[in-house]
Amino acid sequence: MKLIYLSSSFQTKRVKQKTSLAKIRITLSLKAMKLIDTHAHLNLKSSYKKEELPEIIARAKEAGVEKIINVGIDIKTSIRALELAKEYEGLFATAGIHPHEVKKIDEETYPLLKALLADSKMVAVGEIGLDYAKEYSPRKLQQEHFLRQLALAKELGLPVVIHSRAASPDIIDLLVTELPEKFVFHCYAGDVAEARKILDLGGFISVTGIITFPKGENIREVVRYVPLDHLMAETDCPFLTPVPFRGKRNEPAFVRYVVEKIAEVKKISFEKCAEATTRCAEEFFGI
């Protein structure tokens, strides 16, 4: 019997070849995987300089994020979101008046809002809702304009992106009064009981980098409960940067870490989770 001994240089070469093949597979997997950041604020000029955006969007594409929805919080940021959607492929926009900003609404606001929402790149009304945690606008005014914008969404046949902070009972009551065809609670921060009520109304849940935080167990519990076909991922950038980038400015590329954590919590593969959350977002927003 003839023994053949492989040289150390040959063995090293084989290891390098296997490593290279593994890297190629990972690269191909990244390119094949489609992700969507369903809630971003690249339209906030105070957080993102215009000259930075090409690189930020390129990094998102490299991470597999093919679509980004920039969300308006007032007329100015809604216009900017639409400008970005027209400038960059794969970007979309929403328009709405955030509860913090409703105190600034005047007679020109709703005609402008309706005109913006008529554009094909506009995929939802939002973000709108109630915020009793900070209450920068009076509660009654928040409720009035939440209802009015819900009615506008129904009139235009658009989904709704909801902002809810310390106001869940009132939000649910007002939704029942003026129930839109589709709505999502963005940056969900409630518990399972609240999530159950939202799902019972036909709503959707979207989670942020909070799911990766050590103190984010309440969100992880919600993610275990909510079915994948009613669950989306977002960054809410520049806020709520996920682990392992805490302390840095958030950006759409980091939505990957949110999806990875959802997959871990639900004990499914990243690929299955990415496919499901992306499909959910595409069907919800019609993109």
Side-chain angles (χ1 to χ4, degrees):
M1 184 177 180
K2 190 175 181 180
L3 295 176
I4 299 174
Y5 294 94
L6 298 177
S7 69
S8 59
S9 61
F10 179 82
Q11 290 174 324
T12 302
K13 187 177 180 181
R14 290 286 293 171
V15 169
K16 285 182 178 179
Q17 285 178 338
K18 287 181 179 179
T19 303
S20 297
L21 285 171
K23 286 180 179 179
I24 290 169
R25 289 191 192 100
I26 291 169
T27 302
L28 290 173
S29 175
L30 275 171
K31 288 182 178 179
M33 196 59 55
K34 289 196 306 180
L35 298 171
I36 298 178
D37 184 356
T38 62
H39 195 112
H41 293 290
L42 297 180
N43 50 331
L44 297 183
K45 292 182 179 180
S46 59
S47 298
Y48 301 99
K49 296 177 182 178
K50 185 177 181 180
E51 57 269 24
E52 291 181 291
L53 292 178
E55 287 188 6
I56 290 170
I57 292 166
R59 284 196 294 270
K61 300 285 186 185
E62 287 169 7
V65 184
E66 291 195 353
K67 296 172 184 175
I68 301 166
I69 300 173
N70 284 306
V71 176
I73 59 173
D74 56 18
I75 294 298
K76 186 177 180 180
T77 55
S78 297
I79 290 172
R80 179 60 178 151
L82 184 56
E83 289 173 349
L84 292 176
K86 290 181 178 294
E87 185 176 353
Y88 294 96
E89 184 180 354
L91 268 61
F92 300 87
T94 77
I97 312 301
H98 189 285
H100 289 342
E101 306 299 322
V102 296
K103 62 187 176 185
K104 300 174 185 176
I105 288 175
D106 58 28
E107 66 277 2
E108 295 181 353
T109 301
Y110 280 95
L112 286 170
L113 189 57
K114 191 171 181 178
L116 283 168
L117 289 164
D119 194 283
S120 61
K121 278 285 191 172
M122 282 286 178
V123 296
V125 175
E127 61 187 278
I128 67 173
L130 304 176
D131 193 316
Y132 295 168
K134 295 182 178 178
E135 208 167 337
Y136 292 156
S137 293
R139 291 191 182 192
K140 289 294 182 184
L141 200 60
Q142 290 187 45
Q143 293 167 12
E144 174 191 338
H145 289 292
F146 180 46
L147 278 172
R148 191 169 174 182
Q149 290 180 91
L150 285 175
L152 180 60
K154 285 179 72 173
E155 177 189 339
L156 299 175
L158 287 170
V160 175
V161 178
I162 293 175
H163 173 103
S164 175
R165 293 294 176 272
S168 176
D170 284 353
I171 287 249
I172 297 295
D173 287 347
L174 293 173
L175 275 171
V176 171
T177 302
E178 194 70 65
L179 190 65
E181 183 179 343
K182 291 188 286 188
F183 63 94
V184 58
F185 274 63
H186 110 88
C187 187
Y188 189 76
D191 56 19
V192 171
E194 182 184 339
R196 185 179 296 112
K197 292 177 182 177
I198 292 165
L199 294 175
D200 287 346
L201 287 174
F204 291 71
I205 300 288
S206 181
V207 297
T208 65
I210 294 174
I211 192 176
T212 69
F213 297 178
K215 294 183 179 179
E217 183 56 32
N218 63 313
I219 305 303
R220 292 188 282 275
E221 285 182 13
V222 168
V223 165
R224 290 185 193 102
Y225 173 76
V226 176
L228 272 173
D229 61 359
H230 276 69
L231 189 63
M232 295 182 237
E234 61 172 278
T235 59
D236 199 16
C237 64
F239 317 107
L240 302 173
T241 308
V243 173
F245 299 105
R246 295 294 294 144
K248 297 182 179 179
R249 182 184 63 181
N250 205 358
E251 60 179 74
F254 297 163
V255 77
R256 182 176 188 86
Y257 295 89
V258 178
V259 176
E260 284 179 351
K261 196 65 177 181
I262 292 172
E264 178 188 321
V265 168
K266 283 195 165 290
K267 298 181 179 179
I268 59 175
S269 70
F270 170 75
E271 290 76 14
K272 181 178 179 179
C273 188
E275 181 183 358
T277 52
T278 295
R279 182 170 60 249
C280 179
E282 287 177 334
E283 292 176 356
F284 181 90
F285 290 105
I287 56 177

